Amino acid sequence: MCGHIKFCLVTVILFAAFSCQNNKPGHSGKLLAAVGDSRFYESDLGISLKGNKDSIAIRNNLIRDWVKKQLIFKKAMENLSDAEKNKDRELKDYYESLISQEYLNKIALANADTTVDESEMVAYYQANKKNFETKSNILKFLNVNVHSEQIDSEISANNIVPYALVRDRIKQIILNRKMAIYVKHAENQIYNDGESRKLFEISGDKTKK
């Protein structure tokens, strides 16, 4: 089994190395890998690797991850029963969830106040300083792209990451919280809307009139 997977990986890597511009509708760039009928193109990488010194390693890891997923899926399709493979209910629920969330986000964005005051961000930073301790490896989590010398010089005596280095992330956190409130408001608005209330009936619900 292990030998078979290794052979498949080698085959895919060799295939990727010598493949030419063989495009499929909806894909672009060079064909990088293939497992059975599935194809993986440059456009499927999903990120731009231009100027990245580790681009080759990142690219190979992405290809390898895709190959592993395809091999596992292939084995699963071969070895699971029809009943085990039937995910229609889960797919329906997932699709409905995605569409509903897309609509709620659209309503929320149309009505949301997306401004974040500096005072709001500073207040959040002051109230949550323990979340920005360097010992919690917060720099890596926040993707702070600065030289280590700069970090060392700016970190305060109590090992707290300076506000300037986490300002953008704090802004995003506050925006996400605001959006969550607007989305919840949109949910309640739809549920309590007069026209919407005519569309459903809940047995024993005395609140609906």
Side-chain angles (χ1 to χ4, degrees):
M1 172 68 177
C2 182
H4 176 68
I5 292 178
K6 284 182 178 178
F7 173 78
C8 288
L9 285 173
V10 171
T11 301
V12 170
I13 292 170
L14 287 173
F15 178 85
F18 293 102
S19 63
C20 58
Q21 297 284 82
N22 183 12
N23 290 347
K24 198 178 176 183
H27 299 270
S28 62
K30 188 167 70 173
L31 179 60
L32 301 177
V35 176
D37 295 330
S38 299
R39 300 288 183 269
F40 189 75
Y41 293 84
E42 280 183 328
S43 60
D44 297 320
L45 290 171
I47 58 173
S48 175
L49 298 175
K50 283 186 178 180
N52 191 316
K53 64 179 182 179
D54 299 318
S55 60
I56 295 177
I58 295 172
R59 175 186 169 119
N60 288 343
N61 283 335
L62 290 171
I63 294 173
R64 193 157 33 244
D65 287 344
W66 179 85
V67 169
K68 287 179 182 177
K69 288 178 182 177
Q70 294 301 316
L71 290 174
I72 293 169
F73 178 72
K74 190 172 183 299
K75 285 294 178 184
M77 292 299 289
E78 291 172 355
N79 292 285
L80 292 177
S81 67
D82 289 342
E84 289 171 324
K85 288 187 288 189
N86 187 348
K87 302 299 177 185
D88 289 348
R89 174 63 184 272
E90 290 90 335
L91 289 172
K92 180 177 179 294
D93 290 345
Y94 184 55
Y95 175 76
E96 289 180 358
S97 176
L98 284 176
I99 295 299
S100 298
Q101 194 61 49
E102 188 74 21
Y103 179 62
L104 289 172
N105 289 342
K106 184 176 181 178
I107 296 175
L109 280 172
N111 298 285
D113 175 11
T114 56
T115 58
V116 179
D117 295 332
E118 195 71 30
S119 58
E120 268 186 282
M121 294 188 282
V122 172
Y124 180 91
Y125 176 76
Q126 295 294 341
N128 296 276
K129 276 190 173 182
K130 65 180 181 179
N131 294 332
F132 300 104
E133 294 178 355
T134 56
K135 65 183 180 181
S136 64
N137 202 23
I138 193 69
L139 293 178
K140 184 176 180 181
F141 172 73
L142 294 174
N143 296 316
V144 177
N145 186 22
V146 291
H147 296 298
S148 58
E149 298 83 9
Q150 181 182 348
I151 295 173
D152 292 339
S153 64
E154 293 191 33
I155 288 179
S156 56
N158 56 358
N159 293 322
I160 301 296
V161 181
Y163 170 73
L165 295 180
V166 294
R167 180 183 178 278
D168 290 343
R169 182 53 64 103
I170 290 173
K171 182 178 182 180
Q172 192 58 54
I173 290 171
I174 294 173
L175 277 174
N176 289 344
R177 288 185 172 186
K178 284 188 173 184
M179 281 298 296
I181 292 171
Y182 279 105
V183 165
K184 193 66 181 176
H185 177 71
E187 287 179 354
N188 293 332
Q189 197 173 35
I190 292 171
Y191 180 79
N192 293 311
D193 178 72
E195 290 301 315
S196 296
R197 299 287 281 179
K198 296 175 184 177
L199 298 175
F200 72 91
E201 182 177 342
I202 301 175
S203 178
D205 183 4
K206 297 180 181 179
T207 63
K208 182 180 176 182
K209 296 179 181 179

